[in-house]
């Protein structure tokens, strides 16, 4: 969680920025900005489209023994696709290797194998991996996972962090600011999402 949040901040595409008053943009009234936001939200790219538009990721240097262990884990999960523990481990280690698409796919399979007995943090984990795989972009598919988590745990800090990013990306930084301000008030201080919000709030 914490390491992935730091990575999202570093992507640079997730910073909220108020377009009203930004150089180069006309002074739009609230009603017009809300309508443009609705249009943008309805027509924004899917997860797969966003991933397809990214440049190739730089290769991650991996210690050979660790690479071999991950390859063995891939083979084991391929032969036992219904083992949830294997899928969860695969998601973790693919993420460490920078293979975020493979990581969120393994996490999705892990969640599927829970047969409805789902921890909300697992949904947020999957959404977080999807955001990173898309270069910091919160896709409609990632949003759906975040909304599902928040419908059960309205104070889920990481989910609120990413929904705040989403609001900025669809032209509603005012809503993103409100969501982040609430998260900051509720804390806890020092939580990874609190540090992430503080790093971008200004």
């Amino acid at each position: 969680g914490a390491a992935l949040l730091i990575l999202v901040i570093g992507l640079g595409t997730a910073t909220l920025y108020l377009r009203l008053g930004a150089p180069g943009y006309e002074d739009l009234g609230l009603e017009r900005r809300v309508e443009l936001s609705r249009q943008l939200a309805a027509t924004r790219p899917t997860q797969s489209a966003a991933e397809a538009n990214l440049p190739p990721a730089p290769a991650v240097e991996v210690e050979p023994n660790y690479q071999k262990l991950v390859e063995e884990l891939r083979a084991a999960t391929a032969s036992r696709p219904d083992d949830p523990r294997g899928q969860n481990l695969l998601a973790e280690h693919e993420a460490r290797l920078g293979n975020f698409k493979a990581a969120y796919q393994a996490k999705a399979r892990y969640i599927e194998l829970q047969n409805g007995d789902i921890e909300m943090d697992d949904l947020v984990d999957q959404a977080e991996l999807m955001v990173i795989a898309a270069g910091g972009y919160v896709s409609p598919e990632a949003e759906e996972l975040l909304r599902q988590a928040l419908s059960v745990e309205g104070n889920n800090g990481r989910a609120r962090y990413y929904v705040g990013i989403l609001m900025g990306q669809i032209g509603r930084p005012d809503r993103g600011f409100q969501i982040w301000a609430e998260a900051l008030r509720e804390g806890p201080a020092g939580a990874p999402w609190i540090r992430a919000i503080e790093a971008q709030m200004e």
Side-chain angles (χ1 to χ4, degrees), residues 97-145:
L97 290 176
N99 300 325
F100 295 106
K101 182 173 183 176
Y104 78 66
Q105 289 173 336
K107 193 69 175 183
R109 179 60 181 155
Y110 168 78
I111 291 169
E112 181 184 359
L113 292 169
Q114 300 310 299
N115 296 316
D117 187 18
I118 303 169
E119 296 288 337
M120 294 305 102
D121 273 344
D122 287 321
L123 294 178
V124 181
D125 285 346
Q126 183 186 341
E128 186 171 59
L129 291 165
M130 294 172 79
V131 170
I132 299 171
Y137 166 68
V138 184
S139 68
E141 296 92 333
E143 179 189 2
E144 184 177 344
L145 294 169

Side-chain angles (χ1 to χ4, degrees), residues 7-201:
L7 179 57
V8 170
I9 296 170
L11 290 169
T13 60
T15 304
L16 292 181
Y17 188 67
L18 185 59
R19 294 181 70 157
L20 183 61
Y25 288 106
E26 60 181 308
D27 188 4
L28 299 175
L30 178 59
E31 186 176 333
R32 177 62 176 150
R33 284 192 289 126
V34 169
E35 178 56 30
L36 288 173
S37 173
R38 285 198 193 100
Q39 293 175 14
L40 185 57
T43 59
R44 70 193 200 275
T46 63
Q47 181 74 27
S48 59
E51 291 173 16
N53 288 330
L54 289 178
V60 176
E61 289 190 15
V62 182
E63 201 274 324
N65 286 338
Y66 179 59
Q67 180 70 48
K68 184 173 183 294
L69 287 172
V70 175
E71 288 171 359
E72 290 173 354
L73 177 59
R74 288 172 184 155
T77 54
S79 65
R80 297 194 297 275
D82 295 332
D83 174 19
R85 183 172 179 273
Q87 295 295 333
N88 210 28
L89 281 172
L90 184 62
E92 176 186 342
H93 291 287
E94 291 288 17
R96 287 185 183 180
L97 290 176
N99 300 325
F100 295 106
K101 182 173 183 176
Y104 78 66
Q105 289 173 336
K107 193 69 175 183
R109 179 60 181 155
Y110 168 78
I111 291 169
E112 181 184 359
L113 292 169
Q114 300 310 299
N115 296 316
D117 187 18
I118 303 169
E119 296 288 337
M120 294 305 102
D121 273 344
D122 287 321
L123 294 178
V124 181
D125 285 346
Q126 183 186 341
E128 186 171 59
L129 291 165
M130 294 172 79
V131 170
I132 299 171
Y137 166 68
V138 184
S139 68
E141 296 92 333
E143 179 189 2
E144 184 177 344
L145 294 169
L146 295 168
R147 300 287 188 192
Q148 185 179 344
L150 286 170
S151 72
V152 177
E153 295 180 359
N155 64 346
N156 188 294
R158 282 191 302 148
R160 289 199 289 187
Y161 171 73
Y162 287 112
V163 171
I165 287 177
L166 168 65
M167 291 296 104
Q169 291 176 349
I170 63 171
R172 290 302 308 273
D174 54 320
R175 285 290 299 122
F177 182 90
Q178 290 172 352
I179 291 166
W180 280 7
E182 289 171 6
L184 285 175
R185 280 196 301 269
E186 294 179 18
W193 60 88
I194 296 294
R195 296 199 302 271
I197 289 171
E198 290 171 343
Q200 297 186 80
M201 190 71 153

